[in-house]
Amino acid sequence: MAKTRVPTQKRSIEKREKIVKAGFDLFCEKGYYKTNTAEIAKYAGVSTGALYSYFEDKRQIFIESFHQHLDAISSALLQQLNSLPEQLDLSTFIGKWIEGYIDLYAKSNHALVQLRLVIVDDEEINHHFSDLENTYFSNIADILKTREITCGDLFEKVYVSCILIDSLRQEKTSFSHNGLNFEILQEQVKQNILKMLSD
Amino acid sequence: MAKTRVPTQKRSIEKREKIVKAGFDLFCEKGYYKTNTAEIAKYAGVSTGALYSYFEDKRQIFIESFHQHLDAISSALLQQLNSLPEQLDLSTFIGKWIEGYIDLYAKSNHALVQLRLVIVDDEEINHHFSDLENTYFSNIADILKTREITCGDLFEKVYVSCILIDSLRQEKTSFSHNGLNFEILQEQVKQNILKMLSD
Amino acid sequence: MAKTRVPTQKRSIEKREKIVKAGFDLFCEKGYYKTNTAEIAKYAGVSTGALYSYFEDKRQIFIESFHQHLDAISSALLQQLNSLPEQLDLSTFIGKWIEGYIDLYAKSNHALVQLRLVIVDDEEINHHFSDLENTYFSNIADILKTREITCGDLFEKVYVSCILIDSLRQEKTSFSHNGLNFEILQEQVKQNILKMLSD
Amino acid sequence: MAKTRVPTQKRSIEKREKIVKAGFDLFCEKGYYKTNTAEIAKYAGVSTGALYSYFEDKRQIFIESFHQHLDAISSALLQQLNSLPEQLDLSTFIGKWIEGYIDLYAKSNHALVQLRLVIVDDEEINHHFSDLENTYFSNIADILKTREITCGDLFEKVYVSCILIDSLRQEKTSFSHNGLNFEILQEQVKQNILKMLSD
DNA sequence: TATGAATGAGAGTTCATTCAT
DNA sequence: AATGAATGAACTCTCATTCAT
């Protein structure tokens, strides 16, 4: 019935942010289904009622907290890449890209898995975050264009590159396979991307 | 605390299998947290009590059903690849690999995501399934060796190849990005793998 | 998801009846909205879970308990009227009808008001209970026919008669107006009905 | 504990009226328990705080809004009846009475039912509104006396007449029984009242 | 051994009321 | 005087698990 509040005053905005932060932390730590709204409220230092005046339901907290997080780290990465010297050769650039990505996303592994989970349960969220990723891919493609990468099918190549880099992150942070040498793997991925983009 | 039974009689084994099958179907369809034990029992045609005499808890049903499923489809894929004619060129072989994988795993998207979720919550399960995957990678590597692929770092290359192929499956079955052309993507992945293994 | 249980065994049927009885008592005593499911369960001596395995929700308990109650007292009244001597004159018959009704329904005042409340909130329940009342009116009409009442528009006349009698009950049990003489009122109602049915 | 304010200034009085009006509209539309104070405040264009400075609680808003409404429509009806030509015959007068009542009260069905509910919960309110009705009955009786109705037990007859007319309203606005012909019913009620008052 | 009724803690959510600003 | 954000107890309902039969 009652719509959720859109806070404009400083204190309200801060409170909303606290809830988002609390939600994000707990979802990452314990998973979406094992985190309950009472905990989020307590962790955020607000009442359960307040929580429901800022967000329609638990799900919206998840979406918003995650959206913010992805926004923040993808912005950070894009900024890093944008500020690299122009004359850097492609191989070094890709190396920086890989390292930057892994550093920034390393702490988000739980969050990324949780996101996948909720995405599977809900088509709307699927679209929401797939759009977000599209934007990210486009931004990466644009950066590559400024570096005189002119090959065809660039969007698809960026997509494949991102998958490869993310698999490195996964390997590093959660799902480690015995017998895999991470440095070799990283080098493989780098060569792979380099070849694709040099075509 | 009654231990779970290890059934030896035929009827018991059948019952156990029914539960595993029911669990797998429902977990895939609705997700782990949205499937309840009563449903599993009903779908399997057993009582809830029986369910708890075969499995310690809901989680064990998940693990076992998933393990069986992965075993079954990875065996099927390996068998397909093994039975391909010896003289097939590498490019065609990779094409078959990709197609076979996507066909076999297409229906498992929900299951694979659910698996990720449980893996994040539990280190032991993480190891369990990472071992399973290692075995799979090794088998793929062995098949490649019989096809006279002799490049270095084969294990890492197989791993990267599998990641790429699985990202294709994901793109096809759940997380579709606007603007991505699937055929181009598939070709990219194929060329990528081909180049890696030809080094 | 899970359907409500339809109990066939004796103990289950008894438990279901206990819930219905508990619901009815509490709804009458405290009103629908001031009675909570935990109370009903406790009063009935069952767990909240059991309550929800027998009934879809609180509302269904209300409907069923009320339906049973109305059924029981209307049956009792009809039986009373049916067993009156054949040769009784119409005036005396109406007198018995009025007295019987008031006696039987006197204790149901709270319940009847609660019923009205829920009926207003829900069209389906409205129909359910209006059908029940229709049946009751028809039964009364049939009894009158056996007493050689042959006037036209009998159904409408029965309806009006029932309204009048129920207003007497209300006057007696809950909403007493100063200055109204109940005996005179009762006599008025009686004469009114007598005239209608004698046309 | 701050007492509720008795407003004397024009703006305050207007605000109070807005709340009463908002409460009445919403209680009628959605029922007492499904209307919340935030909605009333919003609909009235005041803050929740203001609402609580004019009224002790939600219940008082209900009582006051209802009292005003009943006052207003009963006054309107009495005025209509008073302004009918003197020489009108009784039958026509009763017809006008019935039509006037139904028109005026048709929209109040939800409100009337809600009133019953609160009445059951509270004896003081019971008396309050029974007094209000008594006044109304007396006024009707007085009007009839000016039309040379001189029969005995007039008060009781008026009461019975009012019940009958209200049952028509109910039949029309909420609780429709299949098989009942409304026009026939209306005629029955009219004849009934006519006979009573002609004695 | 097998059943499925029973449990009851715990989930998400609402809302009458208060009170700092 | 007026606001509306904040409170938190209370609500309905779910479900993994147990255990009497």
Side-chain angles (χ1 to χ4, degrees):
Chain A
M1 209 58 36
K3 291 285 160 200
T4 51
R5 200 182 311 159
V6 179
T8 47
Q9 290 180 316
K10 202 183 157 208
R11 276 198 48 199
S12 282
I13 293 173
E14 276 170 7
K15 206 165 253 191
R16 200 172 198 283
E17 281 311 305
K18 272 187 189 168
I19 295 167
V20 167
K21 168 107 173 56
F24 183 74
D25 288 355
L26 291 167
F27 290 142
C28 289
E29 189 192 326
K30 315 179 37 167
Y32 180 74
Y33 286 103
K34 291 187 179 169
T35 301
N36 65 47
T37 50
E39 278 176 296
I40 297 174
K42 195 180 174 184
Y43 190 102
V46 303
S47 65
T48 53
L51 191 150
Y52 278 92
S53 77
Y54 289 107
F55 296 92
E56 220 171 277
D57 53 23
K58 183 182 166 185
R59 217 150 134 279
Q60 296 306 317
I61 301 173
F62 178 84
I63 292 172
E64 177 142 342
S65 69
F66 214 87
H67 186 113
Q68 279 192 19
H69 177 72
L70 288 189
D71 255 5
I73 54 179
S74 73
S75 296
L77 179 60
L78 292 169
Q79 205 177 332
Q80 271 184 31
L81 297 183
N82 268 317
S83 58
L84 289 175
E86 267 184 51
Q87 66 278 17
L88 222 59
D89 67 284
L90 185 56
S91 173
T92 313
F93 175 83
I94 294 170
K96 296 282 182 190
W97 177 11
I98 294 174
E99 283 158 26
Y101 182 94
I102 289 180
D103 278 358
L104 281 164
Y105 283 77
K107 291 172 188 166
S108 310
N109 181 55
H110 280 212
L112 292 167
V113 173
Q114 293 300 322
L115 179 61
R116 284 282 155 90
L117 174 73
V118 179
I119 279 172
V120 165
D121 284 354
D122 191 297
E123 196 159 343
E124 196 187 324
I125 302 183
N126 187 331
H127 287 309
H128 180 90
F129 284 101
S130 115
D131 287 350
L132 202 65
E133 258 196 305
N134 268 332
T135 308
Y136 168 70
F137 295 152
S138 297
N139 287 329
I140 294 280
D142 288 344
I143 291 174
L144 289 171
K145 280 179 202 155
T146 68
R147 295 195 170 266
E148 325 235 327
I149 304 297
T150 53
C151 59
D153 303 326
L154 184 59
F155 196 70
E156 281 76 14
K157 286 175 179 170
V158 166
Y159 175 76
V160 169
S161 303
C162 290
I163 292 287
L164 285 169
I165 297 175
D166 191 64
S167 74
L168 273 180
R169 176 198 58 76
Q170 264 187 65
E171 189 59 27
K172 186 165 196 182
T173 55
S174 93
F175 202 76
S176 306
H177 299 82
N178 290 328
L180 263 186
N181 181 316
F182 186 76
E183 274 71 37
I184 293 176
L185 202 61
Q186 181 161 356
E187 189 55 29
Q188 291 284 356
V189 166
K190 188 174 160 186
Q191 292 311 320
N192 229 295
I193 296 173
L194 185 58
K195 271 183 234 151
M196 259 200 303
L197 297 178
S198 307
D199 272 355
Chain B
M1 197 152 300
K3 292 282 164 200
T4 53
R5 188 163 13 127
V6 178
T8 46
Q9 290 184 313
K10 201 184 159 207
R11 275 196 49 200
S12 282
I13 292 172
E14 277 172 4
K15 221 172 231 190
R16 203 173 198 283
E17 280 312 303
K18 274 186 187 168
I19 295 167
V20 167
K21 167 105 174 59
F24 182 74
D25 287 355
L26 291 167
F27 290 141
C28 288
E29 191 192 325
K30 315 178 36 165
Y32 180 75
Y33 286 102
K34 292 187 177 170
T35 301
N36 64 50
T37 50
E39 277 176 295
I40 298 173
K42 194 181 174 186
Y43 191 103
V46 304
S47 66
T48 53
L51 191 149
Y52 276 89
S53 78
Y54 289 108
F55 295 92
E56 216 172 285
D57 54 23
K58 183 182 165 185
R59 211 148 146 283
Q60 295 307 316
I61 301 172
F62 177 84
I63 293 170
E64 176 140 345
S65 69
F66 211 87
H67 186 109
Q68 279 193 19
H69 177 72
L70 287 189
D71 254 7
I73 54 178
S74 70
S75 297
L77 179 61
L78 292 169
Q79 204 178 331
Q80 270 184 29
L81 297 183
N82 268 317
S83 60
L84 289 174
E86 266 185 50
Q87 66 277 18
L88 222 57
D89 67 282
L90 184 56
S91 171
T92 313
F93 175 84
I94 294 170
K96 297 279 183 192
W97 177 13
I98 293 174
E99 283 158 27
Y101 183 92
I102 290 180
D103 280 357
L104 282 165
Y105 283 78
K107 290 173 188 165
S108 310
N109 182 55
H110 279 214
L112 292 168
V113 173
Q114 295 299 326
L115 178 62
R116 289 268 168 98
L117 176 74
V118 178
I119 280 172
V120 164
D121 284 354
D122 191 299
E123 196 157 345
E124 197 187 324
I125 302 180
N126 186 332
H127 286 309
H128 179 91
F129 284 100
S130 116
D131 286 352
L132 202 64
E133 262 197 304
N134 268 331
T135 309
Y136 168 71
F137 295 152
S138 298
N139 287 329
I140 294 279
D142 289 345
I143 291 174
L144 288 170
K145 280 180 201 153
T146 66
R147 294 194 170 266
E148 323 232 330
I149 304 296
T150 53
C151 58
D153 302 327
L154 185 58
F155 197 69
E156 282 75 14
K157 287 175 178 170
V158 166
Y159 175 76
V160 169
S161 303
C162 289
I163 293 288
L164 285 170
I165 297 174
D166 192 60
S167 74
L168 272 181
R169 176 198 57 74
Q170 263 188 65
E171 188 59 26
K172 187 165 196 181
T173 55
S174 95
F175 203 76
S176 304
H177 297 81
N178 291 328
L180 264 187
N181 181 316
F182 186 75
E183 273 74 35
I184 293 176
L185 203 62
Q186 181 160 358
E187 190 55 29
Q188 291 284 356
V189 167
K190 189 172 159 187
Q191 292 310 322
N192 230 296
I193 297 173
L194 185 57
K195 270 183 236 153
M196 261 200 302
L197 298 178
S198 305
D199 273 355
Chain C
M1 209 56 36
K3 293 284 162 202
T4 52
R5 199 183 311 159
V6 178
T8 47
Q9 289 180 316
K10 202 183 157 207
R11 276 198 48 198
S12 281
I13 293 172
E14 276 170 6
K15 203 164 255 192
R16 202 173 196 284
E17 282 312 304
K18 272 187 189 168
I19 295 168
V20 168
K21 169 107 175 55
F24 184 74
D25 288 354
L26 291 168
F27 290 143
C28 288
E29 189 192 325
K30 317 180 35 166
Y32 180 74
Y33 286 103
K34 292 186 179 169
T35 301
N36 66 48
T37 49
E39 278 176 295
I40 298 174
K42 194 178 176 186
Y43 190 103
V46 302
S47 65
T48 53
L51 191 150
Y52 278 91
S53 77
Y54 288 108
F55 295 92
E56 221 172 277
D57 54 22
K58 184 182 165 183
R59 216 149 134 280
Q60 296 305 318
I61 301 174
F62 178 84
I63 292 172
E64 177 141 344
S65 69
F66 214 87
H67 187 115
Q68 280 194 17
H69 177 71
L70 288 190
D71 254 6
I73 56 178
S74 73
S75 296
L77 179 60
L78 292 169
Q79 204 178 332
Q80 270 185 31
L81 297 183
N82 268 317
S83 59
L84 289 175
E86 267 185 51
Q87 64 277 17
L88 222 59
D89 68 281
L90 186 56
S91 173
T92 312
F93 175 84
I94 294 169
K96 296 281 184 192
W97 178 12
I98 293 173
E99 284 160 23
Y101 183 93
I102 290 179
D103 278 359
L104 281 164
Y105 283 79
K107 291 172 189 165
S108 310
N109 181 55
H110 280 214
L112 292 167
V113 173
Q114 292 302 320
L115 179 60
R116 284 281 155 91
L117 173 73
V118 179
I119 279 172
V120 164
D121 284 353
D122 191 299
E123 195 159 344
E124 196 187 324
I125 302 184
N126 186 332
H127 286 308
H128 180 90
F129 284 101
S130 114
D131 287 350
L132 203 65
E133 261 197 301
N134 267 333
T135 308
Y136 168 70
F137 295 152
S138 297
N139 287 329
I140 295 281
D142 288 345
I143 292 175
L144 288 171
K145 279 180 201 154
T146 66
R147 295 198 168 264
E148 323 233 329
I149 304 296
T150 54
C151 59
D153 303 328
L154 184 58
F155 197 70
E156 280 76 14
K157 287 174 177 170
V158 165
Y159 175 75
V160 170
S161 303
C162 290
I163 292 287
L164 286 170
I165 296 174
D166 192 64
S167 74
L168 274 179
R169 176 197 59 74
Q170 264 187 65
E171 189 58 28
K172 188 167 194 181
T173 55
S174 94
F175 202 74
S176 305
H177 298 82
N178 290 330
L180 263 186
N181 180 317
F182 186 75
E183 273 74 34
I184 292 175
L185 201 63
Q186 181 160 357
E187 188 56 27
Q188 290 285 354
V189 166
K190 189 173 159 186
Q191 292 310 320
N192 228 295
I193 297 172
L194 186 57
K195 270 182 233 152
M196 261 201 301
L197 298 178
S198 307
D199 272 354
Chain D
M1 197 154 298
K3 293 281 164 200
T4 53
R5 187 166 10 131
V6 178
T8 47
Q9 291 183 313
K10 202 183 158 210
R11 276 196 48 199
S12 283
I13 293 172
E14 277 171 6
K15 221 171 231 188
R16 202 173 200 282
E17 281 312 303
K18 273 186 188 168
I19 296 167
V20 167
K21 168 100 175 59
F24 182 74
D25 287 354
L26 292 168
F27 290 142
C28 288
E29 191 191 323
K30 317 178 35 166
Y32 181 75
Y33 286 102
K34 291 187 178 170
T35 300
N36 64 48
T37 50
E39 277 177 294
I40 298 174
K42 194 182 174 185
Y43 190 103
V46 303
S47 66
T48 54
L51 192 149
Y52 276 88
S53 77
Y54 289 108
F55 296 91
E56 214 172 287
D57 54 23
K58 183 181 166 185
R59 211 146 146 284
Q60 296 306 317
I61 301 173
F62 178 84
I63 293 170
E64 176 141 344
S65 70
F66 212 86
H67 186 108
Q68 281 194 18
H69 177 72
L70 287 188
D71 253 7
I73 53 177
S74 70
S75 296
L77 180 61
L78 293 169
Q79 204 178 330
Q80 269 184 31
L81 297 182
N82 268 318
S83 59
L84 289 175
E86 268 184 48
Q87 65 277 17
L88 222 59
D89 68 282
L90 185 56
S91 171
T92 313
F93 176 83
I94 293 170
K96 296 282 183 191
W97 178 12
I98 292 174
E99 285 159 24
Y101 183 93
I102 290 179
D103 278 358
L104 282 164
Y105 282 78
K107 291 171 189 168
S108 310
N109 182 56
H110 279 214
L112 292 167
V113 173
Q114 294 300 325
L115 179 61
R116 291 264 168 101
L117 175 74
V118 179
I119 279 172
V120 164
D121 283 354
D122 190 314
E123 196 158 346
E124 196 187 323
I125 302 182
N126 186 332
H127 287 309
H128 179 92
F129 283 100
S130 118
D131 287 351
L132 201 65
E133 258 196 305
N134 267 333
T135 308
Y136 168 69
F137 295 152
S138 297
N139 287 329
I140 294 279
D142 289 346
I143 290 173
L144 288 171
K145 279 179 202 156
T146 67
R147 295 196 169 265
E148 324 235 329
I149 305 295
T150 54
C151 59
D153 303 328
L154 185 58
F155 197 69
E156 281 76 13
K157 286 173 180 171
V158 166
Y159 175 76
V160 169
S161 304
C162 289
I163 293 288
L164 285 170
I165 296 173
D166 193 62
S167 75
L168 273 180
R169 177 199 57 75
Q170 263 187 68
E171 188 61 25
K172 188 165 195 181
T173 54
S174 96
F175 203 75
S176 304
H177 297 82
N178 291 328
L180 263 186
N181 180 316
F182 186 75
E183 273 74 34
I184 293 175
L185 202 63
Q186 181 160 358
E187 190 55 30
Q188 291 284 355
V189 165
K190 189 173 160 187
Q191 292 310 320
N192 229 296
I193 296 173
L194 186 58
K195 270 183 231 151
M196 259 200 304
L197 297 178
S198 305
D199 272 356

